[in-house]
Amino acid sequence: VPLAAVAGKDVTTVEGLADGDGRHLLQQAFIDLQAGQCGYCLSGILMAAKALLDVEAHPSRGDVLAALDGNLCRCGAHDRIVRAVQLAGERMARG
Ligand code: FES
Protein backbone atom coordinates (compact mmCIF):
# COMPACT_ATOMS: atom_id res chain seq x y z
CA VAL A 1 0.00 0.00 0.00
CA PRO A 2 1.52 3.32 -0.98
CA LEU A 3 2.10 5.53 2.05
CA ALA A 4 0.09 8.36 0.52
CA ALA A 5 -2.98 6.10 0.43
CA VAL A 6 -3.05 5.91 4.22
CA ALA A 7 -2.07 9.47 5.03
CA GLY A 8 -4.16 10.72 7.94
CA LYS A 9 -5.62 7.28 8.68
CA ASP A 10 -5.06 4.91 11.57
CA VAL A 11 -2.80 2.02 10.58
CA THR A 12 -2.50 -1.21 12.52
CA THR A 13 0.50 -3.39 11.81
CA VAL A 14 1.03 -6.97 12.93
CA GLU A 15 2.85 -5.64 15.98
CA GLY A 16 -0.37 -3.86 16.94
CA LEU A 17 -2.45 -7.06 16.99
CA ALA A 18 -1.22 -8.19 20.38
CA ASP A 19 -2.73 -6.72 23.52
CA GLY A 20 0.39 -5.80 25.46
CA ASP A 21 2.07 -9.08 26.32
CA GLY A 22 -1.06 -11.06 25.41
CA ARG A 23 -1.37 -12.60 21.97
CA HIS A 24 -4.30 -11.82 19.72
CA LEU A 25 -6.62 -14.81 19.22
CA LEU A 26 -5.44 -15.00 15.61
CA GLN A 27 -1.83 -15.28 16.70
CA GLN A 28 -2.75 -17.94 19.26
CA ALA A 29 -4.71 -19.96 16.70
CA PHE A 30 -1.73 -19.91 14.33
CA ILE A 31 0.47 -21.17 17.15
CA ASP A 32 -2.04 -23.82 18.25
CA LEU A 33 -2.37 -25.24 14.74
CA GLN A 34 1.30 -24.70 13.84
CA ALA A 35 0.13 -22.68 10.86
CA GLY A 36 3.41 -20.88 10.43
CA GLN A 37 6.70 -22.41 9.49
CA CYS A 38 9.37 -19.85 8.59
CA GLY A 39 7.04 -16.94 9.38
CA TYR A 40 7.99 -14.91 6.30
CA CYS A 41 4.40 -14.63 5.09
CA LEU A 42 2.67 -14.33 8.42
CA SER A 43 2.58 -10.55 8.89
CA GLY A 44 0.55 -10.07 5.74
CA ILE A 45 -1.57 -13.15 6.27
CA LEU A 46 -2.43 -12.21 9.84
CA MET A 47 -3.46 -8.71 8.83
CA ALA A 48 -5.54 -9.94 5.88
CA ALA A 49 -7.14 -12.51 8.16
CA LYS A 50 -7.91 -9.86 10.76
CA ALA A 51 -9.60 -7.71 8.11
CA LEU A 52 -11.70 -10.72 7.07
CA LEU A 53 -12.69 -11.63 10.62
CA ASP A 54 -13.66 -8.02 11.31
CA VAL A 55 -16.48 -8.39 8.78
CA GLU A 56 -17.13 -12.16 8.82
CA ALA A 57 -16.91 -14.00 12.14
CA HIS A 58 -17.44 -17.45 10.65
CA PRO A 59 -15.76 -17.44 7.26
CA SER A 60 -16.05 -20.44 4.99
CA ARG A 61 -12.95 -22.03 3.55
CA GLY A 62 -13.71 -20.16 0.32
CA ASP A 63 -14.01 -16.87 2.19
CA VAL A 64 -10.57 -17.39 3.75
CA LEU A 65 -9.00 -18.41 0.46
CA ALA A 66 -10.44 -15.33 -1.25
CA ALA A 67 -9.32 -12.99 1.55
CA LEU A 68 -5.78 -14.38 1.53
CA ASP A 69 -5.54 -14.63 -2.26
CA GLY A 70 -2.79 -12.02 -2.50
CA ASN A 71 -0.65 -13.65 0.18
CA LEU A 72 1.66 -16.48 -0.77
CA CYS A 73 3.18 -18.92 1.69
CA ARG A 74 6.29 -20.46 0.22
CA CYS A 75 6.32 -23.06 3.00
CA GLY A 76 3.04 -24.54 1.83
CA ALA A 77 1.22 -24.19 5.14
CA HIS A 78 -1.94 -23.07 3.37
CA ASP A 79 -4.31 -25.68 4.78
CA ARG A 80 -3.25 -25.04 8.37
CA ILE A 81 -3.44 -21.28 7.76
CA VAL A 82 -7.04 -21.57 6.57
CA ARG A 83 -7.96 -23.70 9.58
CA ALA A 84 -6.21 -21.28 11.95
CA VAL A 85 -8.19 -18.33 10.57
CA GLN A 86 -11.44 -20.23 11.01
CA LEU A 87 -10.44 -21.30 14.54
CA ALA A 88 -9.62 -17.71 15.46
CA GLY A 89 -12.99 -16.61 14.10
CA GLU A 90 -14.76 -19.16 16.29
CA ARG A 91 -12.79 -18.05 19.34
CA MET A 92 -13.32 -14.35 18.61
CA ALA A 93 -17.08 -14.88 18.21
CA ARG A 94 -17.18 -16.54 21.64
CA GLY A 95 -15.46 -13.46 23.06
S1 FES B 1 5.32 -19.91 6.81
FE1 FES B 1 7.03 -19.70 5.50
S2 FES B 1 6.31 -18.49 3.85
FE2 FES B 1 4.58 -18.93 5.01
Side-chain angles (χ1 to χ4, degrees):
V1 175
L3 187 58
V6 296
K9 298 180 179 174
D10 291 331
V11 175
T12 302
T13 63
V14 71
E15 290 83 3
L17 275 182
D19 181 17
D21 290 336
R23 294 184 188 102
H24 188 278
L25 291 173
L26 255 171
Q27 295 167 314
Q28 190 60 54
F30 273 65
I31 291 169
D32 291 346
L33 297 185
Q34 299 179 351
Q37 293 181 25
C38 77
Y40 183 80
C41 67
L42 292 185
S43 298
I45 285 179
L46 285 166
M47 298 315 294
K50 172 73 166 60
L52 170 64
L53 294 177
D54 283 349
V55 296
E56 177 55 61
H58 301 286
S60 67
R61 180 175 177 79
D63 292 335
V64 177
L65 292 174
L68 302 182
D69 189 43
N71 300 81
L72 300 177
C73 175
R74 66 183 178 186
C75 294
H78 296 99
D79 188 58
R80 280 185 269 170
I81 288 169
V82 171
R83 288 188 285 126
V85 173
Q86 291 177 308
L87 175 60
E90 292 168 17
R91 290 175 175 174
M92 290 167 68
R94 277 188 247 140

Coordinates of all heavy atoms in Angstrom, one line a residue:
V1 N 0.9 -1.2 0.0 CA 0.0 0.0 0.0 C 0.9 1.2 0.0 O 1.7 1.4 0.9 CB -0.9 0.0 1.3 CG1 -1.7 1.3 1.3 CG2 -1.8 -1.2 1.3
P2 N 0.7 2.1 -1.0 CA 1.5 3.3 -1.0 C 1.2 4.2 0.3 O 0.1 4.3 0.7 CB 1.1 4.1 -2.2 CG 0.4 3.0 -3.1 CD -0.2 2.0 -2.1
L3 N 2.3 4.8 0.8 CA 2.1 5.5 2.1 C 1.1 6.6 1.9 O 0.3 6.9 2.8 CB 3.5 6.1 2.5 CG 3.5 6.8 3.8 CD1 3.1 5.9 4.9 CD2 4.9 7.3 4.1
A4 N 1.0 7.3 0.7 CA 0.1 8.4 0.5 C -1.4 7.9 0.6 O -2.2 8.7 1.0 CB 0.3 9.0 -0.8
A5 N -1.6 6.6 0.4 CA -3.0 6.1 0.4 C -3.5 6.0 1.9 O -4.7 5.9 2.1 CB -3.0 4.7 -0.2
V6 N -2.6 6.0 2.8 CA -3.1 5.9 4.2 C -2.8 7.2 5.0 O -2.9 7.2 6.2 CB -2.4 4.7 4.9 CG1 -2.9 3.4 4.3 CG2 -0.9 4.8 4.9
A7 N -2.4 8.2 4.3 CA -2.1 9.5 5.0 C -3.3 9.9 5.8 O -4.4 10.0 5.3 CB -1.7 10.5 4.0
G8 N -3.1 10.2 7.1 CA -4.2 10.7 7.9 C -5.1 9.6 8.5 O -6.0 10.0 9.2
K9 N -4.8 8.4 8.2 CA -5.6 7.3 8.7 C -4.9 6.5 9.8 O -3.7 6.5 9.8 CB -6.0 6.4 7.5 CG -6.8 7.1 6.4 CD -7.1 6.1 5.3 CE -7.9 6.9 4.3 NZ -8.2 6.1 3.1
D10 N -5.7 5.8 10.6 CA -5.1 4.9 11.6 C -4.6 3.7 10.9 O -5.3 3.1 10.0 CB -6.1 4.5 12.6 CG -6.5 5.7 13.5 OD1 -5.6 6.5 13.7 OD2 -7.6 5.7 14.1
V11 N -3.4 3.2 11.2 CA -2.8 2.0 10.6 C -2.4 1.1 11.7 O -1.7 1.4 12.6 CB -1.6 2.4 9.7 CG1 -0.9 1.1 9.2 CG2 -1.9 3.3 8.6
T12 N -2.9 -0.2 11.6 CA -2.5 -1.2 12.5 C -1.6 -2.2 11.8 O -1.9 -2.7 10.7 CB -3.7 -2.0 13.0 OG1 -4.6 -1.1 13.7 CG2 -3.3 -3.1 14.0
T13 N -0.4 -2.4 12.4 CA 0.5 -3.4 11.8 C 0.4 -4.7 12.6 O -0.3 -4.7 13.6 CB 2.0 -2.9 11.9 OG1 2.3 -2.7 13.3 CG2 2.1 -1.5 11.1
V14 N 1.1 -5.7 12.2 CA 1.0 -7.0 12.9 C 1.5 -6.8 14.4 O 1.0 -7.5 15.3 CB 1.8 -8.1 12.2 CG1 3.3 -7.8 12.3 CG2 1.4 -9.4 12.7
E15 N 2.4 -5.9 14.6 CA 2.8 -5.6 16.0 C 1.7 -5.1 16.8 O 1.7 -5.2 18.1 CB 4.0 -4.7 16.0 CG 5.3 -5.3 15.4 CD 5.4 -5.2 13.9 OE1 4.5 -4.6 13.3 OE2 6.4 -5.7 13.4
G16 N 0.7 -4.4 16.2 CA -0.4 -3.9 16.9 C -1.5 -4.8 17.2 O -2.5 -4.5 17.9
L17 N -1.4 -6.1 16.7 CA -2.4 -7.1 17.0 C -2.5 -7.5 18.4 O -3.5 -7.7 19.0 CB -2.2 -8.3 16.1 CG -2.8 -8.3 14.7 CD1 -2.5 -9.7 14.1 CD2 -4.2 -8.0 14.7
A18 N -1.3 -7.7 19.0 CA -1.2 -8.2 20.4 C -1.7 -7.1 21.3 O -1.7 -5.9 21.1 CB 0.2 -8.5 20.7
D19 N -2.3 -7.6 22.5 CA -2.7 -6.7 23.5 C -1.7 -6.7 24.6 O -1.7 -7.6 25.5 CB -4.1 -7.2 24.0 CG -4.6 -6.3 25.1 OD1 -4.2 -5.2 25.3 OD2 -5.5 -6.8 25.8
G20 N -0.7 -5.8 24.5 CA 0.4 -5.8 25.5 C 1.2 -7.1 25.3 O 1.7 -7.4 24.2
D21 N 1.3 -7.8 26.4 CA 2.1 -9.1 26.3 C 1.2 -10.2 25.9 O 1.7 -11.4 25.7 CB 2.7 -9.4 27.7 CG 3.8 -8.5 28.0 OD1 4.4 -7.9 27.1 OD2 4.1 -8.3 29.2
G22 N -0.1 -10.0 25.8 CA -1.1 -11.1 25.4 C -1.2 -11.2 23.9 O -1.3 -10.2 23.2
R23 N -1.2 -12.4 23.4 CA -1.4 -12.6 22.0 C -2.8 -12.3 21.5 O -3.8 -12.6 22.3 CB -1.0 -14.0 21.6 CG 0.4 -14.4 21.8 CD 0.7 -15.8 21.3 NE 2.0 -16.2 21.7 CZ 2.3 -17.0 22.8 NH1 1.3 -17.5 23.5 NH2 3.5 -17.3 23.1
H24 N -3.0 -11.9 20.3 CA -4.3 -11.8 19.7 C -4.8 -13.3 19.5 O -3.9 -14.2 19.3 CB -4.2 -11.0 18.4 CG -5.5 -10.7 17.8 ND1 -6.2 -11.6 17.0 CD2 -6.3 -9.6 17.8 CE1 -7.3 -11.1 16.6 NE2 -7.4 -9.9 17.1
L25 N -6.1 -13.5 19.4 CA -6.6 -14.8 19.2 C -6.2 -15.4 17.9 O -6.0 -16.6 17.7 CB -8.1 -14.8 19.3 CG -8.7 -14.5 20.7 CD1 -10.2 -14.4 20.7 CD2 -8.3 -15.7 21.6
L26 N -6.0 -14.5 16.9 CA -5.4 -15.0 15.6 C -4.0 -15.6 15.8 O -3.7 -16.6 15.3 CB -5.4 -13.8 14.6 CG -6.4 -13.8 13.5 CD1 -6.4 -12.5 12.8 CD2 -6.3 -15.0 12.6
Q27 N -3.2 -14.8 16.5 CA -1.8 -15.3 16.7 C -1.8 -16.6 17.5 O -1.1 -17.5 17.1 CB -1.0 -14.2 17.5 CG -0.8 -12.9 16.7 CD -0.3 -11.8 17.5 OE1 -0.8 -11.5 18.6 NE2 0.7 -11.1 17.0
Q28 N -2.7 -16.7 18.5 CA -2.8 -17.9 19.3 C -3.2 -19.1 18.4 O -2.7 -20.2 18.5 CB -3.7 -17.8 20.5 CG -3.6 -18.9 21.5 CD -2.1 -19.1 22.0 OE1 -1.5 -18.2 22.5 NE2 -1.6 -20.3 21.9
A29 N -4.2 -18.9 17.6 CA -4.7 -20.0 16.7 C -3.6 -20.4 15.7 O -3.5 -21.6 15.5 CB -5.9 -19.5 15.9
F30 N -2.8 -19.5 15.2 CA -1.7 -19.9 14.3 C -0.7 -20.7 15.1 O -0.2 -21.7 14.6 CB -1.1 -18.7 13.7 CG -1.7 -18.2 12.4 CD1 -3.0 -17.7 12.4 CD2 -1.1 -18.3 11.2 CE1 -3.7 -17.3 11.3 CE2 -1.7 -17.9 10.0 CZ -3.0 -17.4 10.1
I31 N -0.5 -20.4 16.3 CA 0.5 -21.2 17.2 C -0.1 -22.5 17.5 O 0.5 -23.6 17.3 CB 0.8 -20.4 18.5 CG1 1.6 -19.2 18.1 CG2 1.5 -21.3 19.4 CD1 1.8 -18.2 19.3
D32 N -1.4 -22.6 17.9 CA -2.0 -23.8 18.2 C -2.1 -24.8 17.1 O -2.0 -26.0 17.3 CB -3.5 -23.6 18.8 CG -3.5 -22.8 20.1 OD1 -2.4 -22.7 20.8 OD2 -4.6 -22.3 20.5
L33 N -2.3 -24.3 15.9 CA -2.4 -25.2 14.7 C -1.1 -25.3 14.0 O -1.0 -25.9 12.9 CB -3.5 -24.8 13.8 CG -4.9 -24.9 14.4 CD1 -6.0 -24.5 13.4 CD2 -5.2 -26.2 15.0
Q34 N 0.0 -24.7 14.5 CA 1.3 -24.7 13.8 C 1.1 -24.3 12.4 O 1.7 -24.9 11.5 CB 2.0 -26.1 14.0 CG 2.2 -26.5 15.4 CD 2.9 -27.8 15.5 OE1 3.0 -28.6 14.6 NE2 3.3 -28.1 16.7
A35 N 0.4 -23.1 12.2 CA 0.1 -22.7 10.9 C 1.3 -21.9 10.2 O 1.2 -21.7 9.0 CB -1.1 -21.8 10.9
G36 N 2.3 -21.6 11.0 CA 3.4 -20.9 10.4 C 4.6 -21.8 10.5 O 4.8 -22.6 11.4
Q37 N 5.4 -21.7 9.5 CA 6.7 -22.4 9.5 C 7.8 -21.4 9.6 O 8.3 -21.1 10.7 CB 6.8 -23.3 8.3 CG 5.7 -24.4 8.3 CD 5.8 -25.4 7.2 OE1 6.8 -25.5 6.5 NE2 4.6 -26.0 6.9
C38 N 8.3 -20.8 8.5 CA 9.4 -19.8 8.6 C 8.9 -18.5 9.1 O 9.6 -17.7 9.7 CB 10.1 -19.7 7.2 SG 9.2 -18.7 6.1
G39 N 7.6 -18.2 8.9 CA 7.0 -16.9 9.4 C 7.1 -15.8 8.4 O 6.6 -14.7 8.7
Y40 N 7.8 -16.0 7.3 CA 8.0 -14.9 6.3 C 6.7 -14.3 5.9 O 6.6 -13.1 5.7 CB 8.8 -15.4 5.1 CG 9.1 -14.4 4.1 CD1 10.2 -13.5 4.2 CD2 8.3 -14.3 2.9 CE1 10.5 -12.6 3.3 CE2 8.6 -13.3 2.0 CZ 9.7 -12.5 2.2 OH 10.0 -11.5 1.2
C41 N 5.7 -15.1 5.6 CA 4.4 -14.6 5.1 C 3.4 -14.2 6.2 O 2.4 -13.6 5.8 CB 3.7 -15.8 4.3 SG 3.2 -17.1 5.4
L42 N 3.7 -14.4 7.4 CA 2.7 -14.3 8.4 C 2.2 -12.9 8.7 O 1.0 -12.7 9.1 CB 3.1 -15.0 9.7 CG 3.2 -16.5 9.6 CD1 3.5 -17.2 10.9 CD2 1.9 -17.1 9.0
S43 N 3.0 -11.9 8.6 CA 2.6 -10.6 8.9 C 1.4 -10.2 8.0 O 0.4 -9.7 8.4 CB 3.7 -9.5 8.7 OG 4.7 -9.8 9.6
G44 N 1.6 -10.4 6.7 CA 0.5 -10.1 5.7 C -0.7 -11.0 5.9 O -1.8 -10.5 5.8
I45 N -0.4 -12.2 6.1 CA -1.6 -13.1 6.3 C -2.4 -12.8 7.5 O -3.6 -12.8 7.5 CB -1.1 -14.6 6.3 CG1 -0.7 -15.0 4.8 CG2 -2.1 -15.6 6.9 CD1 -0.1 -16.4 4.7
L46 N -1.7 -12.5 8.6 CA -2.4 -12.2 9.8 C -3.3 -11.0 9.7 O -4.4 -10.9 10.1 CB -1.5 -12.1 11.0 CG -0.9 -13.4 11.6 CD1 0.3 -13.1 12.5 CD2 -2.0 -14.1 12.3
M47 N -2.7 -10.0 9.0 CA -3.5 -8.7 8.8 C -4.6 -8.9 7.9 O -5.7 -8.3 8.1 CB -2.5 -7.6 8.4 CG -1.4 -7.3 9.4 SD -2.0 -7.1 11.1 CE -3.0 -5.7 11.1
A48 N -4.4 -9.7 6.8 CA -5.5 -9.9 5.9 C -6.6 -10.8 6.6 O -7.8 -10.5 6.4 CB -5.0 -10.7 4.6
A49 N -6.2 -11.7 7.4 CA -7.1 -12.5 8.2 C -7.9 -11.7 9.2 O -9.1 -11.8 9.3 CB -6.4 -13.7 8.9
K50 N -7.2 -10.7 9.8 CA -7.9 -9.9 10.8 C -9.0 -9.0 10.0 O -10.1 -8.9 10.5 CB -6.9 -8.9 11.4 CG -7.4 -7.8 12.3 CD -8.0 -8.4 13.6 CE -8.3 -7.3 14.6 NZ -9.2 -6.2 14.3
A51 N -8.6 -8.5 8.9 CA -9.6 -7.7 8.1 C -10.8 -8.6 7.7 O -12.0 -8.1 7.8 CB -8.9 -7.1 6.9
L52 N -10.6 -9.8 7.4 CA -11.7 -10.7 7.1 C -12.6 -10.9 8.3 O -13.8 -10.8 8.2 CB -11.2 -12.1 6.5 CG -12.2 -13.2 6.4 CD1 -13.3 -12.8 5.4 CD2 -11.5 -14.5 6.1
L53 N -11.9 -11.3 9.4 CA -12.7 -11.6 10.6 C -13.4 -10.4 11.2 O -14.4 -10.6 11.9 CB -11.8 -12.3 11.7 CG -11.2 -13.6 11.3 CD1 -10.3 -14.2 12.3 CD2 -12.3 -14.6 11.0
D54 N -13.0 -9.2 10.9 CA -13.7 -8.0 11.3 C -15.0 -7.9 10.7 O -15.9 -7.2 11.2 CB -12.8 -6.8 11.0 CG -11.7 -6.6 12.0 OD1 -11.6 -7.3 13.0 OD2 -10.8 -5.7 11.7
V55 N -15.2 -8.5 9.5 CA -16.5 -8.4 8.8 C -17.2 -9.7 8.7 O -18.4 -9.8 8.4 CB -16.3 -7.8 7.4 CG1 -15.8 -6.4 7.4 CG2 -15.4 -8.6 6.5
E56 N -16.5 -10.8 8.9 CA -17.1 -12.2 8.8 C -16.6 -13.0 9.9 O -15.4 -13.5 9.8 CB -16.8 -12.8 7.4 CG -17.4 -14.2 7.3 CD -18.9 -14.3 7.6 OE1 -19.7 -13.7 6.9 OE2 -19.2 -15.1 8.5
A57 N -17.4 -13.3 11.0 CA -16.9 -14.0 12.1 C -16.7 -15.5 11.9 O -15.9 -16.1 12.5 CB -17.9 -13.8 13.3
H58 N -17.5 -16.0 10.9 CA -17.4 -17.5 10.7 C -17.2 -17.7 9.2 O -18.1 -18.1 8.4 CB -18.7 -18.1 11.1 CG -19.0 -18.0 12.6 ND1 -18.3 -18.7 13.5 CD2 -19.9 -17.2 13.2 CE1 -18.8 -18.3 14.7 NE2 -19.7 -17.4 14.5
P59 N -16.0 -17.3 8.7 CA -15.8 -17.4 7.3 C -15.7 -18.9 6.8 O -15.2 -19.8 7.5 CB -14.4 -16.8 7.1 CG -13.7 -16.9 8.4 CD -14.8 -16.9 9.4
S60 N -16.2 -19.1 5.6 CA -16.1 -20.4 5.0 C -14.6 -20.6 4.5 O -13.9 -19.6 4.4 CB -17.0 -20.6 3.8 OG -16.6 -19.7 2.8
R61 N -14.3 -21.8 4.1 CA -12.9 -22.0 3.5 C -12.7 -21.1 2.3 O -11.7 -20.5 2.1 CB -12.8 -23.5 3.2 CG -11.5 -23.9 2.6 CD -11.3 -25.4 2.3 NE -10.1 -25.6 1.7 CZ -8.9 -25.7 2.3 NH1 -8.9 -25.5 3.6 NH2 -7.8 -25.9 1.6
G62 N -13.8 -21.0 1.5 CA -13.7 -20.2 0.3 C -13.5 -18.7 0.7 O -12.8 -18.0 0.0
D63 N -14.2 -18.3 1.7 CA -14.0 -16.9 2.2 C -12.6 -16.6 2.6 O -12.0 -15.6 2.2 CB -14.9 -16.6 3.4 CG -16.4 -16.6 3.2 OD1 -16.8 -16.3 2.0 OD2 -17.1 -16.8 4.1
V64 N -12.0 -17.6 3.3 CA -10.6 -17.4 3.8 C -9.6 -17.4 2.5 O -8.7 -16.6 2.4 CB -10.2 -18.5 4.8 CG1 -8.7 -18.3 5.2 CG2 -11.1 -18.4 6.0
L65 N -9.9 -18.3 1.7 CA -9.0 -18.4 0.5 C -9.1 -17.1 -0.3 O -8.1 -16.6 -0.8 CB -9.4 -19.6 -0.4 CG -9.1 -21.0 0.2 CD1 -9.6 -22.1 -0.7 CD2 -7.6 -21.2 0.5
A66 N -10.3 -16.6 -0.5 CA -10.4 -15.3 -1.3 C -9.8 -14.2 -0.5 O -9.1 -13.3 -1.2 CB -11.9 -15.0 -1.5
A67 N -9.9 -14.1 0.8 CA -9.3 -13.0 1.5 C -7.8 -13.0 1.5 O -7.1 -12.0 1.6 CB -9.8 -13.0 3.0
L68 N -7.2 -14.2 1.5 CA -5.8 -14.4 1.5 C -5.2 -14.6 0.1 O -4.0 -14.9 0.0 CB -5.4 -15.6 2.4 CG -5.9 -15.5 3.9 CD1 -5.4 -16.7 4.7 CD2 -5.5 -14.2 4.5
D69 N -6.0 -14.4 -0.9 CA -5.5 -14.6 -2.3 C -4.2 -13.9 -2.6 O -3.4 -14.5 -3.4 CB -6.7 -14.2 -3.2 CG -6.4 -14.7 -4.6 OD1 -5.9 -15.8 -4.8 OD2 -6.6 -13.9 -5.6
G70 N -4.0 -12.7 -2.1 CA -2.8 -12.0 -2.5 C -1.6 -12.4 -1.6 O -0.5 -11.8 -1.8
N71 N -1.7 -13.3 -0.7 CA -0.7 -13.7 0.2 C -0.2 -15.1 -0.1 O -0.9 -16.0 -0.1 CB -1.1 -13.6 1.6 CG -1.6 -12.2 2.0 OD1 -2.8 -11.9 1.7 ND2 -0.8 -11.5 2.7
L72 N 1.1 -15.2 -0.4 CA 1.7 -16.5 -0.8 C 2.5 -17.0 0.4 O 3.3 -16.2 1.0 CB 2.5 -16.4 -2.0 CG 1.8 -15.9 -3.3 CD1 2.8 -15.8 -4.4 CD2 0.6 -16.8 -3.6
C73 N 2.4 -18.3 0.7 CA 3.2 -18.9 1.7 C 4.1 -19.9 1.0 O 3.6 -20.9 0.5 CB 2.3 -19.6 2.7 SG 3.2 -20.6 3.9
R74 N 5.4 -19.6 0.9 CA 6.3 -20.5 0.2 C 6.5 -21.8 1.0 O 7.1 -22.7 0.4 CB 7.6 -19.7 0.0 CG 8.4 -19.4 1.2 CD 9.6 -18.6 0.9 NE 10.3 -18.3 2.2 CZ 11.3 -17.5 2.3 NH1 11.8 -16.9 1.2 NH2 11.9 -17.3 3.5
C75 N 6.1 -21.8 2.2 CA 6.3 -23.1 3.0 C 5.2 -24.1 2.8 O 5.3 -25.2 3.2 CB 6.4 -22.8 4.5 SG 7.9 -21.8 4.9
G76 N 4.1 -23.6 2.1 CA 3.0 -24.5 1.8 C 2.2 -24.9 3.0 O 1.6 -26.0 3.1
A77 N 2.0 -23.9 3.9 CA 1.2 -24.2 5.1 C -0.2 -23.7 4.9 O -0.9 -23.5 5.9 CB 1.8 -23.5 6.3
H78 N -0.6 -23.7 3.7 CA -1.9 -23.1 3.4 C -3.1 -23.7 4.1 O -4.0 -23.0 4.6 CB -2.2 -23.1 1.9 CG -1.2 -22.3 1.1 ND1 -0.1 -22.8 0.5 CD2 -1.2 -20.9 0.9 CE1 0.6 -21.8 -0.1 NE2 0.0 -20.7 0.1
D79 N -3.2 -25.0 4.2 CA -4.3 -25.7 4.8 C -4.4 -25.3 6.3 O -5.4 -25.0 6.8 CB -4.3 -27.2 4.6 CG -5.5 -27.8 5.1 OD1 -6.6 -27.5 4.6 OD2 -5.5 -28.7 6.0
R80 N -3.2 -25.4 6.9 CA -3.2 -25.0 8.4 C -3.6 -23.6 8.6 O -4.2 -23.2 9.6 CB -1.9 -25.4 9.0 CG -1.8 -26.9 9.3 CD -0.6 -27.2 10.0 NE 0.4 -27.6 9.1 CZ 1.7 -27.7 9.3 NH1 2.1 -27.6 10.6 NH2 2.5 -28.1 8.4
I81 N -3.1 -22.7 7.7 CA -3.4 -21.3 7.8 C -4.9 -21.1 7.7 O -5.5 -20.3 8.5 CB -2.7 -20.5 6.7 CG1 -1.2 -20.4 7.0 CG2 -3.3 -19.1 6.5 CD1 -0.3 -19.9 5.9
V82 N -5.6 -21.7 6.7 CA -7.0 -21.6 6.6 C -7.7 -22.0 7.8 O -8.6 -21.4 8.4 CB -7.5 -22.4 5.3 CG1 -9.1 -22.4 5.3 CG2 -7.0 -21.7 4.0
R83 N -7.3 -23.2 8.4 CA -8.0 -23.7 9.6 C -7.7 -22.8 10.8 O -8.6 -22.6 11.6 CB -7.5 -25.1 9.9 CG -8.1 -26.1 8.9 CD -7.8 -27.6 9.2 NE -6.4 -27.9 8.9 CZ -5.6 -28.5 9.8 NH1 -6.0 -28.7 11.0 NH2 -4.4 -28.8 9.4
A84 N -6.5 -22.2 10.8 CA -6.2 -21.3 12.0 C -7.1 -20.0 11.9 O -7.5 -19.5 12.9 CB -4.7 -20.9 11.9
V85 N -7.3 -19.5 10.7 CA -8.2 -18.3 10.6 C -9.6 -18.7 11.0 O -10.2 -17.9 11.8 CB -8.2 -17.8 9.1 CG1 -9.2 -16.7 9.0 CG2 -6.8 -17.3 8.7
Q86 N -10.1 -19.8 10.6 CA -11.4 -20.2 11.0 C -11.5 -20.5 12.5 O -12.5 -20.1 13.2 CB -11.9 -21.5 10.2 CG -12.1 -21.2 8.8 CD -12.5 -22.4 8.0 OE1 -11.8 -23.5 8.0 NE2 -13.5 -22.4 7.2
L87 N -10.5 -21.1 13.1 CA -10.4 -21.3 14.5 C -10.4 -20.0 15.3 O -11.2 -19.8 16.3 CB -9.2 -22.1 14.9 CG -9.0 -22.3 16.4 CD1 -10.2 -23.1 17.1 CD2 -7.7 -23.1 16.6
A88 N -9.7 -19.0 14.8 CA -9.6 -17.7 15.5 C -11.0 -17.0 15.4 O -11.4 -16.4 16.3 CB -8.6 -16.8 14.8
G89 N -11.7 -17.2 14.2 CA -13.0 -16.6 14.1 C -14.0 -17.2 15.1 O -14.7 -16.5 15.7
E90 N -13.9 -18.5 15.3 CA -14.8 -19.2 16.3 C -14.5 -18.6 17.7 O -15.4 -18.3 18.5 CB -14.6 -20.7 16.3 CG -15.0 -21.3 15.0 CD -14.6 -22.8 14.9 OE1 -14.1 -23.4 15.9 OE2 -14.6 -23.3 13.8
R91 N -13.2 -18.5 18.0 CA -12.8 -18.1 19.3 C -13.2 -16.6 19.5 O -13.6 -16.2 20.6 CB -11.3 -18.2 19.5 CG -10.9 -19.7 19.7 CD -9.4 -19.9 19.8 NE -9.0 -21.2 20.0 CZ -7.8 -21.7 20.0 NH1 -6.8 -20.8 19.8 NH2 -7.5 -22.9 20.3
M92 N -13.0 -15.8 18.5 CA -13.3 -14.4 18.6 C -14.8 -14.2 18.8 O -15.3 -13.3 19.5 CB -12.8 -13.6 17.4 CG -11.3 -13.5 17.3 SD -10.6 -13.0 15.8 CE -11.2 -11.3 15.7
A93 N -15.6 -15.0 18.1 CA -17.1 -14.9 18.2 C -17.6 -15.2 19.6 O -18.6 -14.7 20.1 CB -17.7 -15.8 17.2
R94 N -16.8 -16.2 20.3 CA -17.2 -16.5 21.6 C -16.8 -15.5 22.6 O -17.3 -15.4 23.8 CB -16.5 -17.8 22.0 CG -17.2 -19.1 21.6 CD -16.5 -20.3 22.1 NE -15.9 -21.0 21.1 CZ -14.7 -21.6 21.1 NH1 -14.0 -21.6 22.2 NH2 -14.2 -22.3 20.1
G95 N -15.9 -14.6 22.2 CA -15.5 -13.5 23.1 C -14.3 -13.8 23.9 O -13.9 -14.1 24.8
Ligands
FES1 S1 5.3 -19.9 6.8 FE1 7.0 -19.7 5.5 S2 6.3 -18.5 3.8 FE2 4.6 -18.9 5.0

